[in-house]
């Protein structure tokens, strides 16, 4: 039976002798019966002519008109009748729609508002095959069109939380492309301008990690979203020379080396103490934001009638309390070698004055600093408790087992027999959201993770407890240890801000002499000082 058929490229290549350009689009084939009942097929390679003409820079519609006219002339010369010519015109119409119609690719919409929206990536044939993102409402109406430029299929879509405030985002990556586009979702619309981001292997919060594993070097780079500048910035780099094990970790914002030295490799050439070096790479990343440096120093005056005051500068504060040009009794530096705390003491009165420094980088990658002052007149006396930093209980000294059923502990130890990680958990009765009936839910009570240096000394401890069981104060606590394995600095969560603890030693003594607590509260740093009994 005479008629019009659509065949794929593979079918067309087998059935026709015309030279074809490989693609996944259709070939229009005209079918007619011969007198002997056999089918004669004539294929017309619209796409082949289209692609060749496009490479010559000819306008699309002109190309199609030329192809259509040539096809009609060919049919007339071949003796095709009027009916066949009409069929050919139908073929031309189908080919034109194939060439000029948009093609939509449905995209998952995993955000909380998924019931109200749908999303598609559309290949726009009439604009050079570029793509645009289309957001639809529940009725199919177009709410937003966002140009994505030229992409190469297959296209990968992913979703991560890389913005401040835990805002979700859609990521689009072309096939075999080292970069992609990031679009922030604000609950109603996507950002109009996509951010070019690297094709990363891992993300932690705002940071994205890329890895280049070559024969001679392993290079890792951490990029961070600079939201106010709508771009990403390289903030840290890891370079490991595989033949020697020489590792360098570099902070790009501070322009400083965080580590440099030989590491012991495992069988695959990576650092054997991966937990430690991974932390050196990821820990304490700056967040780029709209920060401004301050010269004025808000200061908390301790003692009777405690109050907050403002001093115009560090010099004015130290002068007011008689410590200008004095030598501090204690200083603490962060991992970037920035002065973080300086503490002065008046020997005769045992009164203290201190300044804490907070460092930031703004969206222009300019370093900013804020200062907070404090004075201390009252010192508490307490006993130092040995071994508390290796305790596998909550900070209040209990396990929480009495609050749950089916209590269990999961412990892991290092080869040297020291705790590596710990988790305690159990079942607690909780009301079901759907029908309100109580059901047993598995919860984590206490979780601990330990990081050790290559020489076996403790470097870091990460602590977390269930705030429902133990309360919100210090439900997370990060502890850092010096080269002797002694606690030196801690920072933890409190609902109104954060708490910091500085442990002060005399020379190489195993027990601290003082512990300075700083409570960030209401725009001031409120101190508390403990002296441990010897």
């Amino acid at each position: 039976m005479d008629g019009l058929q659509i065949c794929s490229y593979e079918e067309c290549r087998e059935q026709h002798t015309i030279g074809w350009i490989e693609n996944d689009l259709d070939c229009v084939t005209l079918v007619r019966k011969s007198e002997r009942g056999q089918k004669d097929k004539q294929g017309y390679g619209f796409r082949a002519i289209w692609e060749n003409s496009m490479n010559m820079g000819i306008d699309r519609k002109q190309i199609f008109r030329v192809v259509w006219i040539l096809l009609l002339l060919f049919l007339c010369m071949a003796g095709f009748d009027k009916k066949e010519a009409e069929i050919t015109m139908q073929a031309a119409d189908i080919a034109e729609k194939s060439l000029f119609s948009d093609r939509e690719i449905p995209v998952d919409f995993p955000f909380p508002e998924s019931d109200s929206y749908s999303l598609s990536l559309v290949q726009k044939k009439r604009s050079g095959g570029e793509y645009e993102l289309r957001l639809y409402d529940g009725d199919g109406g177009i709410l937003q069109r966002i140009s994505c430029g030229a992409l190469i299929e297959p296209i990968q879509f992913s979703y991560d939380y890389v913005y401040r405030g835990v805002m979700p985002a859609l990521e689009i990556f072309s096939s075999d492309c080292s970069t992609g586009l990031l679009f922030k979702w604000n609950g109603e619309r996507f950002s109009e301008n996509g951010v070019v981001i690297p094709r990363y292997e891992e993300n932690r919060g705002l940071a994205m990690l890329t890895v280049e594993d070559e024969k001679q070097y392993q290079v890792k780079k951490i990029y961070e979203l600079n939201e106010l500048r709508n771009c990403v910035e390289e903030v840290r780099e890891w370079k490991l020379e595989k033949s020697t094990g020489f590792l360098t970790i570099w902070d790009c914002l501070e322009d400083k080396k965080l580590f440099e030295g030989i590491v012991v490799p495992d069988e695959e050439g990576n650092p054997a103490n991966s937990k430690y070096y991974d932390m050196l790479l990821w820990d304490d990343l700056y967040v780029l934001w709209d920060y401004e440096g301050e010269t004025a120093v808000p200061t908390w005056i301790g003692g009777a009638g405690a109050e907050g005051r403002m001093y115009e500068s560090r010099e004015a504060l130290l002068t007011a309390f008689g410590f200008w040009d004095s030598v501090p009794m204690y200083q603490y530096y962060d991992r970037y070698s920035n002065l973080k705390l300086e503490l002065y003491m008046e020997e005769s009165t045992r009164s203290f004055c201190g300044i804490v420094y907070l460092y930031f980088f703004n969206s222009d990658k300019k370093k900013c600093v804020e200062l907070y002052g404090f004075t201390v007149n009252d010192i508490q006396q307490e006993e130092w408790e040995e071994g508390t930093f290796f305790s596998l209980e909550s900070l209040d000294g209990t396990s929480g087992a009495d609050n749950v059923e089916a209590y269990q502990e999961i412990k892991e130890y290092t080869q040297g027999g020291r705790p590596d990680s710990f988790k305690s958990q159990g079942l607690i009765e909780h009301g079901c959201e759907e029908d309100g009936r109580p059901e047993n839910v598995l919860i984590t009570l206490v979780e601990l993770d330990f990081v050790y240096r290559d020489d076996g000394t403790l470097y870091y401890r990460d602590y977390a407890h269930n705030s429902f069981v133990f309360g919100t104060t210090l439900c997370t606590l990060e502890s850092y240890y010096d080269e002797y394995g002694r606690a030196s600095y801690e920072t933890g969560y409190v609902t109104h801000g954060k708490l910091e603890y500085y442990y002060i030693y005399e020379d190489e003594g195993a027990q601290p002499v003082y512990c300075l607590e700083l409570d960030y509260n209401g725009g001031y740093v409120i101190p508390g000082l403990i002296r441990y009994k010897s």
Side-chain angles (χ1 to χ4, degrees), residues 422-446:
F422 172 83
K423 180 190 285 188
S424 60
Q425 56 190 20
L427 298 174
I428 190 169
E429 195 174 84
H430 181 72
C432 180
E433 292 184 1
E434 295 181 359
D435 55 16
R437 294 181 180 179
E439 60 179 359
N440 286 330
V441 177
L442 182 66
I443 65 168
T444 297
L445 292 166
V446 176

Side-chain angles (χ1 to χ4, degrees), residues 229-256:
R229 295 292 175 265
N230 211 47
C231 65
V232 293
E233 310 281 1
E234 183 183 344
V235 295
R236 198 162 287 175
E237 182 182 81
W238 156 304
K239 189 172 184 179
L240 174 64
E241 187 174 8
K242 295 183 177 181
S243 60
T244 63
F246 190 81
L247 173 65
T248 302
I249 301 177
W250 182 268
D251 190 87
C252 304
L253 296 176
E254 286 279 5
D255 198 24
K256 289 180 181 177

Side-chain angles (χ1 to χ4, degrees), residues 42 44 54 63 67 79 100 147 210 227 231 312 342 367 391 396 451-452 475 479 490 531:
Q42 182 63 56
Y44 299 98
M54 282 296 293
I63 296 169
V67 172
F100 292 111
S147 175
T210 65
E227 187 174 348
C231 65
E312 64 181 11
E342 55 181 338
K367 192 173 184 177
S391 169
D396 65 10
V451 179
Y452 300 89
C475 61
S479 305
E490 294 182 299
R531 182 178 176 87

